[in-house]
């Protein structure tokens, strides 16, 4: 069997089920429509298209939520997408919120400790982790300094600095979600999430940020399946071909460099093989990896899942004996 073929099939059927899911949830929750955070990425593009088909363009509202370090192309593609679907939308920059929380200054101070040569006026930054295909045990993150589109420095972060940086970066997604709920609640709309299955399994979302939504239509679709949906729906090719990124660093940081730490088609095949308990020989043939490498990478994936369990789990409740 070819795992990629399995993932790519049934796009039409999947689209139909997701449309029905969105329509039914709007009715169930007695809401009038859907709010979508439009990032210029493929997940939000697919959600926007399916929401329009499910409840009508007049009942869908797009929010473009850029900040100082967002790529200019993000809001340009987002606006173009909304206009192509005739969806009402608004751009609400979150930079003032982040400035009020001193987010950028705090971030610069941490980076300066790691990279003394860092100058925010001339350097862009990104955060990367070693590839799981090279060494699943080595998980030390590094800051990259970029000048004129070239990496000029790459220094490892201390654990304390890394945790603080992640906390600072996650304020961006939480600020965006706060605004989405402001617009959703005043219009009696649902906030629609865009987290896919690959991201959900790996905890690749921010709790009470992009994970703090009313519904998650894509969370049973691997990222590979989202690409199949996008092609089926006729999404703008520029959006489909754009490398996936959280778009929270001043220098472009691909999800393959940080979150997945390998090409997405390999990650999805490995996750799919775990889900369906496929024989090793099928996994080897599909991924073109050795059995030793596959086992090493699977251990790395299991570590990621274990570490992110608190993100993917609902808050535990203390039930009292009565």
């Amino acid at each position: 069997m070819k795992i990629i073929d399995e993932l790519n099939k049934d796009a039409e059927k999947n689209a139909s089920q997701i449309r029905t899911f969105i329509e039914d949830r709007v009715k169930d929750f007695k809401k009038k429509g859907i709010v979508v955070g439009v990032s210029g990425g493929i997940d939000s593009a697919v959600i926007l298209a399916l929401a329009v088909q499910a409840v009508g363009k007049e009942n869908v509202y797009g929010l473009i939520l850029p900040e100082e370090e967002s790529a200019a192309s993000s809001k340009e593609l987002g606006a173009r997408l909304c206009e192509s679907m005739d969806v009402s939308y608004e751009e609400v920059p979150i930079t003032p919120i982040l400035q009020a929380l001193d987010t950028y200054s705090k971030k610069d101070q941490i980076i300066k400790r790691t990279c003394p040569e860092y100058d925010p006026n001339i350097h862009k930054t990104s955060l990367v982790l070693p590839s799981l295909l090279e060494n699943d045990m080595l998980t030390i993150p590094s800051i990259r300094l970029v000048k004129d589109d070239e990496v000029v420095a790459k220094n490892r972060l201390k654990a304390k600095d890394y945790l603080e940086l992640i906390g600072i970066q996650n304020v961006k997604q939480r600020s965006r979600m706060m605004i989405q709920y402001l617009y959703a609640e005043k219009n009696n709309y649902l906030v629609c999430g865009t987290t896919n299955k690959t991201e959900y399994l790996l905890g690749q979302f921010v709790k009470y940020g992009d994970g703090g939504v009313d519904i998650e239509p894509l969370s049973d679709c691997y990222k590979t399946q989202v690409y199949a949906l996008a092609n089926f729906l006729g999404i703008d090719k520029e959006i489909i071909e754009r490398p996936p990124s959280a778009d929270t660093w001043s220098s472009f940081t691909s999800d393959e460099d940080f979150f997945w730490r390998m090409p997405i088609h390999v990650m999805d095949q490995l996750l799919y093989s775990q889900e369906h308990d496929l024989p090793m020989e099928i996994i080897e043939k599909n991924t073109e990896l050795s059995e030793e490498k596959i086992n090493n990478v699977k251990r790395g994936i299991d570590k990621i899942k274990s570490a992110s369990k608190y993100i993917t789990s609902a808050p535990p409740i203390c039930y009292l004996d009565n």
Side-chain angles (χ1 to χ4, degrees):
M1 68 173 288
K2 287 190 176 182
I3 298 174
I4 287 295
D5 289 347
E6 290 296 309
L7 289 168
N8 283 327
K9 72 178 186 181
D10 295 331
E12 183 174 2
K13 177 183 175 182
N14 293 342
S16 176
Q17 290 183 358
I18 293 169
R19 282 194 296 267
T20 300
F21 172 86
I22 294 172
E23 183 180 13
D24 288 349
R25 297 296 81 74
V26 169
K27 291 177 182 177
D28 290 346
F29 292 123
K30 296 180 173 56
K31 299 296 182 179
K32 294 181 178 179
I34 293 287
V35 165
V36 181
V38 183
S39 67
I42 191 169
D43 299 305
S44 63
V46 166
I47 283 294
L48 192 73
L50 291 171
V52 166
Q53 293 175 4
V55 298
K57 63 184 181 182
E58 67 279 6
N59 298 314
V60 178
Y61 198 78
L63 282 170
I64 299 172
L65 305 165
E67 49 97 9
E68 186 177 296
E69 296 183 317
S70 299
S73 58
S74 296
K75 63 180 182 181
E76 292 166 5
L77 287 170
R80 192 165 79 194
L81 180 71
C82 290
E83 290 166 5
S84 71
M85 297 183 185
D86 199 20
V87 167
S88 297
Y89 72 96
E90 188 170 341
E91 180 182 322
V92 184
I94 64 168
T95 299
I97 299 173
L98 301 177
Q99 289 174 331
L101 294 170
D102 204 20
T103 300
Y104 298 114
S105 176
K106 290 175 180 176
K107 180 177 176 180
D108 285 345
Q109 290 171 21
I110 298 170
I111 296 174
K112 187 74 172 177
R113 288 201 296 266
T114 303
C115 305
E117 68 271 43
Y118 171 58
D119 182 343
N121 295 313
I122 63 173
H123 293 125
K124 292 186 176 182
T125 60
S126 65
L127 182 64
V128 295
L129 283 165
S131 170
L132 281 174
L133 296 177
E134 295 173 4
N135 187 342
D136 69 303
M137 300 304 292
L138 186 62
T139 57
I140 301 173
S142 298
I143 284 287
R144 289 191 307 202
L145 300 186
V146 178
K147 180 181 178 183
D148 299 328
D149 296 325
E150 290 188 12
V151 177
V152 294
K154 181 180 176 181
N155 295 347
R156 291 182 177 181
L157 277 165
K158 294 179 180 178
K160 180 179 180 297
D161 289 339
Y162 170 71
L163 291 173
E164 189 174 354
L165 266 179
I166 293 299
I168 288 170
Q169 290 294 84
N170 288 351
V171 170
K172 297 181 179 183
Q173 284 92 336
R174 292 185 176 115
S175 297
R176 290 187 173 111
M177 194 49 60
M178 178 176 64
I179 293 169
Q180 287 184 59
Y181 270 99
L182 172 65
Y183 280 77
E185 290 175 350
K186 77 174 183 178
N187 292 305
N188 196 28
Y189 279 15
L190 285 177
V191 174
C192 188
T194 62
T195 300
N196 58 62
K197 188 171 186 174
T198 308
E199 295 167 338
Y200 181 79
L201 289 174
L202 299 174
Q204 186 189 337
F205 57 89
V206 177
K207 201 165 190 176
Y208 307 120
D210 51 335
V213 295
D214 294 316
I215 58 173
E216 286 284 21
L218 292 181
S219 284
D220 198 33
C221 293
Y222 288 106
K223 187 75 173 186
T224 301
Q225 293 175 296
V226 176
Y227 280 104
L229 282 168
N231 283 302
F232 170 73
L233 294 166
I235 299 298
D236 187 333
K237 289 295 183 183
E238 192 172 347
I239 292 177
I240 293 176
E241 294 170 1
R242 189 184 191 208
S245 171
D247 196 23
T248 56
W249 290 87
S250 55
S251 176
F252 177 78
T253 305
S254 167
D255 287 340
E256 292 186 348
D257 289 333
F258 182 68
F259 288 111
W260 304 326
R261 300 165 60 191
M262 68 181 72
I264 184 57
H265 71 277
V266 177
M267 174 61 82
D268 274 355
Q269 288 182 89
L270 291 170
L271 290 172
Y272 182 92
S273 71
Q274 283 187 318
E275 178 185 5
H276 296 277
D277 196 24
L278 298 181
M280 179 58 70
E281 57 266 26
I282 290 179
I283 306 172
E284 287 179 288
K285 185 175 181 180
N286 278 268
T287 62
E288 298 183 344
L289 299 175
S290 68
E291 181 175 352
E292 181 183 9
K293 181 70 71 176
I294 290 167
N295 287 329
N296 285 340
V297 173
K298 281 189 172 184
R299 283 194 291 271
I301 290 173
D302 288 342
K303 284 174 59 179
I304 293 172
K305 288 181 178 180
S306 177
S308 62
K309 188 176 180 180
Y310 80 99
I311 298 174
T312 57
S313 302
I317 297 172
C318 176
Y319 290 102
L320 305 177
D321 292 331
N322 294 318

